[in-house]
């Protein structure tokens, strides 16, 4: 296998891509764990880059894993052309069309002209990394109700990307909100 790189499980970080039995897995979450008895381990939640399947995997601490060389580039999202999402490398102006399955859930938070990190491995697009949160306008929600600030209730709201999230009852159509791109959670209102 060309470009094989080996790392210690102690070096695992979020976003790292591991090559496990010829398949690429992105680390979503990790935790070093030292039980009372026995050897330390590294617990991880990893996502198969091609299938999107997420699994929990535990590695023995200080064992070796193959890592994949991943090229990450800042790119600007231009448009969806029916066949895929077209991104432009902001330094070379090269355009790259990514299939819908590579973009995955990122499509729920992508606006035209927004920048994102596009990861490729040996020229093949793997995934799109967005900032931890984005600001989007609420295009539809039931009218806001005064006095509902203290109830803690929520209602569905449709964002300008078409994604529906839960927002507090007082929010109104046309307001800009901050949304967590990993969970889809409402993080707050953005002042105009």
């Amino acid at each position: 296998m060309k470009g094989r790189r080996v790392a210690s499980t102690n070096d695992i970080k979020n976003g790292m891509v591991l090559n496990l039995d010829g398949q690429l897995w992105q680390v979503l979450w990790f935790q070093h764990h030292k039980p009372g008895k026995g050897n330390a381990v590294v617990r991880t939640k990893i996502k198969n880059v091609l299938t999107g399947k997420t699994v929990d995997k535990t590695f023995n601490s200080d064992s070796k894993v193959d890592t994949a060389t991943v090229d990450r580039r800042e790119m600007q999202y231009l448009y969806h052309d029916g066949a895929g999402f077209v991104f432009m490398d902001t330094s070379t102006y090269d355009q790259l069309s990514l299939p819908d399955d590579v973009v995955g859930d990122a499509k729920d938070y992508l606006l035209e002209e927004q920048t994102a990190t596009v990861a490729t491995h040996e020229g093949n697009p793997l995934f799109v990394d967005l900032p931890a949160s984005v600001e989007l306008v609420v295009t539809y929600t039931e009218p806001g109700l005064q006095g509902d600030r203290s109830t803690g209730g929520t209602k569905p709201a449709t964002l300008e990307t078409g994604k529906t999230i839960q927002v507090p009852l007082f929010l109104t159509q046309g307001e800009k909100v901050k949304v967590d791109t990993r969970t889809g959670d409402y993080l707050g209102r953005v002042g105009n």
Side-chain angles (χ1 to χ4, degrees), residues 35-138:
K37 290 191 237 174
N39 296 332
V41 295
V42 180
R43 293 183 176 146
T44 64
K45 182 178 286 287
I46 55 178
K47 180 170 109 178
N48 188 301
V49 169
L50 296 178
T51 66
K53 178 181 171 188
T54 303
V55 297
D56 294 317
K57 184 160 177 65
T58 302
F59 297 95
N60 287 328
S61 186
D62 222 12
S63 60
K64 302 295 180 210
V65 287
D66 288 342
T67 61
T69 306
V70 175
D71 181 27
R72 295 170 191 265
R73 290 180 190 214
E74 280 294 305
M75 297 188 120
Q76 185 178 43
Y77 170 55
L78 299 179
Y79 56 87
H80 188 277
D81 66 2
F85 291 80
V86 179
F87 285 81
M88 178 182 70
D89 187 317
T90 51
S91 58
T92 64
Y93 301 107
D94 288 342
Q95 291 187 11
L96 178 66
S97 180
L98 301 182
D100 293 6
D101 60 332
V102 169
V103 175
D105 291 342
K107 74 179 180 322
D108 294 334
Y109 309 102
L110 263 180
L111 290 177
E112 291 181 2
E113 299 184 13
Q114 182 181 341
T115 56
T117 303
V118 175
T120 59
H121 172 66
E122 296 176 357
N124 299 314
L126 298 178
F127 55 85
V128 175
D129 257 347
L130 294 176
S133 65
V134 292
E135 296 176 0
L136 296 168
V137 173
V138 173

Side-chain angles (χ1 to χ4, degrees), residues 5-65:
R5 290 186 171 181
V6 177
S8 162
T9 52
N10 291 337
D11 299 328
I12 287 177
K13 292 181 176 41
N14 289 345
M16 182 181 264
V17 176
L18 307 177
N19 187 336
L20 304 175
D21 301 322
Q23 293 191 29
L24 300 182
W25 297 82
Q26 182 185 19
V27 177
L28 302 177
W29 173 90
F30 74 97
Q31 178 186 47
H32 293 275
H33 180 70
K34 175 81 172 106
K37 290 191 237 174
N39 296 332
V41 295
V42 180
R43 293 183 176 146
T44 64
K45 182 178 286 287
I46 55 178
K47 180 170 109 178
N48 188 301
V49 169
L50 296 178
T51 66
K53 178 181 171 188
T54 303
V55 297
D56 294 317
K57 184 160 177 65
T58 302
F59 297 95
N60 287 328
S61 186
D62 222 12
S63 60
K64 302 295 180 210
V65 287

